[in-house]
Every structure is written in structure tokens, then in C-alpha cells.
Amino acid sequence: MKPTLRLLVVGASITGCAVFRPSTATGPTGEHASLARSIDSMIGAPDFRSANWGILIVDPERGDTLYSHNAGKLFIPASNQKFVVSSVMLERLGPEYRFKTFVATQGRIVDGTLNGDLAVIGRGDPTVSNHMKGDAMLPLRAMADSLWQRGIRRITGDVVAFGDVMPGPVAGSGWPWDGLDGNSYAGVDELLFNEGLTTIRVRPGAGVGSPAIVETAPARTYPVVHVAAMTVPADTAASTTPGRGGRGGGRGRGAIGTRLTVHNDTGSATITLRGQIALGDSATLTIAQHDPDAAYVAALSEALRDRGIVVERGKPEVYAPRTDTLLVVQSVPLREILPAIMKPSQNQIAEIFLRTIGLEGTGVGTADSGRRVIERQFADWKIPSDGFVVRDGSGLSRSDLISPETIIGILDHMRRSANFQLFYSALPIAGVDGTISTRMRNTPAQGNLHAKTGTLQMVRSLSGYVTTADKRLLEFSILCNNWTTPQADVDRVGDAIGVILAGLRR
């Protein structure tokens, strides 16, 4: 039996309740009762008998709680965790905040030759990416052009990452070890290239039995790929299925017989490609970079060489141990970065936000320092300390916990903030864009409901804002953990609630 999803339009008046702590002195009446019956019938369906639901819906202007179910309980939020880091980042640092990267010399420049190393000093800029720039190499080529214009033609040493403002592990707390090659789990550091991801394009060799041909992007020279994949005939037996990209998440497509896996052995900087590719086929796979600093430095070195600047990578001559800044490169402002994290639910930008909150608030860019700043900020916002647990910024960690009350607390603070319109516009819009672009289409919620999704195994979240038919802005949080039905059934409940709220009249 599938859950019954009833779309009810209810229109009676609502009795007053506290926004975050609904009164239980009297039962719900009128519109309260109709809304409660509708939601209760959905989450109480037999297929959801083992699921954990947490739901809170409020009318903040009137101080009314329209519906509450397990609102004070803790749930794994998945990407609803991005509300935590994005709200604090925006409120503490402001919409005009820009990430800075410094390019400096460690040595003297004489007649166009830098006798020493070129040092890159990062502070977590997440925008050097295909996602933000169209081509992650563009800002690095711009750096190379600037150095050329300053007369640098040769570097006797190397390009090096200097400083460690974001110390500690590049992965988030509690991330699964067997997912670390995957697209979602790329680590972050003070230097970050293409959101920690490399694309590997695979073509067949000249003939059957020859090694596959591999190209990497955005950087051509990083990472090093050990090719253990061979070319096979195009008419390989039909029992062979098109290959998957293994933990890297890519997929060979097209001709029968292509089967590829890509992985990064622990402790090694070399990527290994195994399997087979059929003549006439091609495949594209994506894998996480395990050393973000090394990936950035390698890509910048490539950009320098392409510009004609020789990087000898030798032992530099003896020079005074000083660092002189040549360039300061600034990112676009935070107001332009926020939609890039919220609409597609981008994990690495969220991890950078957590570390940046810590760096700017304490001087140390770690997840723990970011957590401490968030705890202080939430205390200022009167959000109870027992309503959340912060372990990472993206929500990939199953150790993150949050209550619907806490999410509503964040949403309500942002509603009253001078930054509200920016925050609101950065959220995915039902039936329009982001992670809910295909949901709630042709309903009153389309183009109206602004909400953040969350997805992990047995975790589904949908929280945000919706405007009723009589133009009242509501705040809602719908969290579900540990169901046994298809995920689509959980989504239908969230969508149905969103549609009901968008059609409400009081």
C-alpha cells in the first residue's frame, strides 16, 4: 500500500500559538485541523510506520505554528546542513566578502629570472572551477599573464603552496572511506582547484589490444594516470555491459564492452584506470583529487608553461628567506557565490565556508574552529544548543544532527536580516531551478516555494519558504530519516505539503 497524498486547500482561521514551541493546551481547530489531518494521513501511512519524520510549519508574522511533529527531535539533515554554514557565513562576513589568494616570490628577480620559488598563499577561494568560471584554468592563465607582464620569464625553483591556514584533514568528519574517490566527497584546503574534481576522458587506442588513450581536464598535466585499460573490439559479446566509472562516479557509454574503473590508491598520487574500452566508443569519468594544494599548484604550473614562463623545478640559489607579494587575486563577492552552493547543493563550497568561518572568527581555518563560531552565533540568535550538532559544512557526515526547530530558527533569523533577499533568491525554486527544478511543476508551488533539499542514504530533507495564496510567507522544515519505501514516496510527501501550503487561504 502506497502513502495517500491528499492535496487539501484549507481556509479557516488559525488560533494563535508560539512560533517554535506550539501550545498543546487545546487541540487544533479550523485550518490547523485540516492541515494536520492532511499531513498526518501522509506521514502516518502504513509504508512509513518505521520512518522518522520531523516537521515544523510556522507563520512567523502572526506567531502561529501551523503544524508540528517531532519538531524538537534531532535528525540527520544531509544538505540542509548548508543552511547552517551559509547563514552564518553571510551574516558574519557580509555579501561583499571576497576570498583572496596571494602570489609571492621566495627569492630575487634578476633580469626576468626568479631565483627561487613562486609561492601561492591560499585562503580557500572555491571559485577557481568550471562551475564558476566556465573553465577552471582561466583564472590561472590570468595569473600567468600578470606574471609575464611583470617581466618574469623563468623560475629556477618551483611553484609551491605556502602557508597552512586550513590545517588538518581535507575530508569532512565521518565521511566514508570508500566514497573518497567520488564526486561528492572531494576534500578541500586553502588552495582548491575545480572543486577538487578531475575529469578523465578515455578513448580507444589505435587497435585491439592497445592501451586506452587518456586525457585529463581541466588541467592536462594533473593528475598522473596509470593506464591499465585496453582496447577491445566493438562487437564484444552482449553479456558485457557498459562500464561504470567505479568510485569515481563516471560511466562509459555507447558501444557494448566498455567497462572502466578509476581509483586513487591510498598514499599514492597516481590515478589508476582499469578495464576496457571498445573501438568507436568513448567514456568520461570523474574522480576526486586527494591533495587539493598539489592539484592547484600543478594546474598553475601548467598555465605558466603555456604562457612561456619556464619552471625549472630545480634547487634554487641561496637567497634571503623572505616572501614578497606580487599579486593579490580576489574572488567574486559572496553574494555571487551563494547561489552556486545552494541551488546545485555544492559540497566543497560548503566545506570551505565552514573553514572560512573558523579562519575569520578564530584565526584557524578548521572544521572545529568553524563549529565553535557557529555555536556562538546561534547562541546570539537564541537557537538552543541542544538543537544541532555540527561536524561538517556540507551535510555529507552522518554525524551532523539538527532539529526542525533549529532550521526554522535559522530561516526566521534570515527572514528578518538585511541579507534576506539574497539568501532567499539563492535557494532552489520549485519547478524552476536547482535541485527542485523538476518538482512541484504546474502547481501553486511552482516559482513560489524556495527550499533547500537534502539527500543521503535513508535521509531526505526539504526546508525553506513558501508564499500562500493570500500572500503570507511561511517557513517550513520537513526532515525524514530511516524509511524503507522508495525515496520517491518521501519526496511526494514533501512536495504535497509544499503544494498545500502554497494554496492556503486564511
Side-chain angles (χ1 to χ4, degrees):
M1 177 178 178
K2 297 298 181 187
T4 302
L5 307 185
R6 297 185 296 163
L7 305 187
L8 302 183
V9 178
V10 291
S13 63
I14 299 179
T15 56
C17 301
V19 174
F20 306 130
R21 303 287 185 181
S23 170
T24 57
T26 59
T29 59
E31 188 180 50
H32 271 122
S34 298
L35 183 63
R37 284 195 300 271
S38 181
I39 298 175
D40 286 346
S41 70
M42 290 186 279
I43 67 174
D47 281 3
F48 289 131
R49 72 182 187 87
S50 60
N52 295 322
W53 288 93
I55 303 174
L56 183 58
I57 304 166
V58 303
D59 181 340
E61 289 289 347
R62 297 191 179 188
D64 285 354
T65 297
L66 277 63
Y67 185 84
S68 178
H69 178 84
N70 290 335
K73 300 295 185 182
L74 293 173
F75 293 81
I76 301 171
S79 283
N80 266 207
Q81 184 75 359
K82 294 180 176 71
F83 277 129
V84 174
V85 292
S86 295
S87 62
V88 175
M89 181 84 174
L90 183 57
E91 291 294 89
R92 289 185 71 90
L93 301 181
E96 300 307 314
Y97 178 84
R98 296 173 186 261
F99 293 89
K100 294 180 180 179
T101 303
F102 302 85
V103 180
T105 59
Q106 292 182 318
R108 294 177 298 172
I109 300 175
V110 179
D111 296 329
T113 296
L114 168 58
N115 292 299
D117 293 330
L118 185 73
V120 188
I121 306 165
R123 291 181 67 86
D125 183 357
T127 68
V128 182
S129 69
N130 291 349
H131 179 197
M132 294 290 293
K133 303 294 185 181
D135 180 355
M137 291 299 294
L138 288 177
L140 303 185
R141 293 189 189 112
M143 286 186 192
D145 286 343
S146 294
L147 294 172
W148 180 273
Q149 290 167 11
R150 283 166 171 77
I152 296 178
R153 300 293 185 269
R154 175 169 162 257
I155 299 169
T156 63
D158 206 347
V159 180
V160 297
F162 186 74
D164 192 17
V165 298
M166 295 184 176
V170 299
S173 173
W175 289 8
W177 69 268
D178 56 350
L180 296 180
D181 277 351
N183 303 9
S184 295
Y185 292 92
V188 302
D189 214 338
E190 53 269 336
L191 293 174
L192 184 63
F193 177 66
N194 198 40
E195 296 166 359
L197 298 175
T198 291
T199 298
I200 299 174
R201 298 167 182 154
V202 187
R203 295 184 288 113
V208 173
S210 61
I213 298 171
V214 169
E215 297 175 348
T216 60
R220 304 185 311 276
T221 55
Y222 185 91
V224 175
V225 180
H226 172 65
V227 179
M230 306 302 289
T231 304
V232 297
D235 59 349
T236 300
S239 60
T240 306
T241 56
R244 299 173 65 96
R247 289 179 293 172
R251 181 184 292 272
R253 299 182 185 275
I256 295 170
T258 295
R259 289 192 289 188
L260 298 166
T261 61
V262 60
H263 70 278
N264 189 327
D265 285 334
T266 302
S268 169
T270 300
I271 303 297
T272 301
L273 177 75
R274 292 191 172 92
Q276 60 190 42
I277 183 150
L279 285 170
D281 199 6
S282 63
T284 300
L285 305 95
T286 304
I287 192 167
Q289 303 155 2
H290 285 195
D291 187 340
D293 283 355
Y296 189 106
V297 163
L300 178 57
S301 298
E302 179 181 312
L304 293 171
R305 288 192 294 271
D306 287 349
R307 188 63 182 86
I309 299 174
V310 176
V311 182
E312 294 184 350
R313 304 187 66 182
K315 184 177 180 180
E317 298 176 7
V318 177
Y319 58 87
R322 56 179 292 179
T323 301
D324 295 321
T325 300
L326 287 179
L327 305 174
V328 180
V329 181
Q330 296 193 93
S331 73
V332 296
L334 179 58
R335 57 183 163 79
E336 296 183 31
I337 300 173
L338 201 60
I341 173 179
M342 299 297 267
K343 288 188 183 292
S345 201
Q346 212 292 322
N347 294 317
Q348 284 61 49
I349 300 177
E351 294 301 325
I352 287 291
F353 277 14
L354 179 61
R355 288 157 175 78
T356 301
I357 289 166
L359 177 61
E360 298 291 353
T362 71
V364 180
T366 64
D368 282 344
S369 64
R371 170 183 54 79
R372 290 193 295 271
V373 174
I374 288 168
E375 290 170 349
R376 292 198 299 269
Q377 187 65 70
F378 279 10
D380 290 345
W381 294 352
K382 309 303 180 187
I383 294 176
S385 61
D386 62 354
F388 62 94
V389 175
V390 176
R391 289 293 177 264
D392 72 2
S394 60
L396 290 172
S397 176
R398 300 186 75 88
S399 297
D400 292 322
L401 296 172
I402 204 163
S403 69
E405 285 180 351
T406 295
I407 291 178
I408 294 297
I410 296 170
L411 294 175
D412 198 58
H413 172 84
M414 295 309 299
R415 178 185 64 87
R416 294 178 281 108
S417 167
N419 295 315
F420 173 63
Q421 194 56 50
L422 172 59
F423 184 78
Y424 178 76
S425 299
L427 294 172
I429 304 172
V432 175
D433 63 20
T435 54
I436 51 174
S437 62
T438 61
R439 295 171 61 175
M440 292 169 270
R441 285 183 172 174
N442 303 313
T443 73
Q446 180 170 344
N448 168 1
L449 182 143
H450 291 226
K452 184 74 199 71
T453 55
T455 303
L456 285 175
Q457 186 177 19
M458 301 304 171
V459 178
R460 204 68 166 145
S461 308
L462 184 70
S463 302
Y465 307 94
V466 62
T467 302
T468 65
D470 54 357
K471 307 305 179 185
R472 290 176 293 125
L473 185 70
L474 305 182
E475 301 162 352
F476 67 91
S477 180
I478 305 167
L479 309 180
C480 188
N481 289 180
N482 302 332
W483 64 84
T484 56
T485 66
Q487 179 177 291
D489 292 346
V490 181
D491 287 346
R492 278 193 286 270
V493 171
D495 291 355
I497 293 172
V499 172
I500 292 171
L501 298 179
L504 283 179
R505 293 183 184 275
R506 299 187 68 176

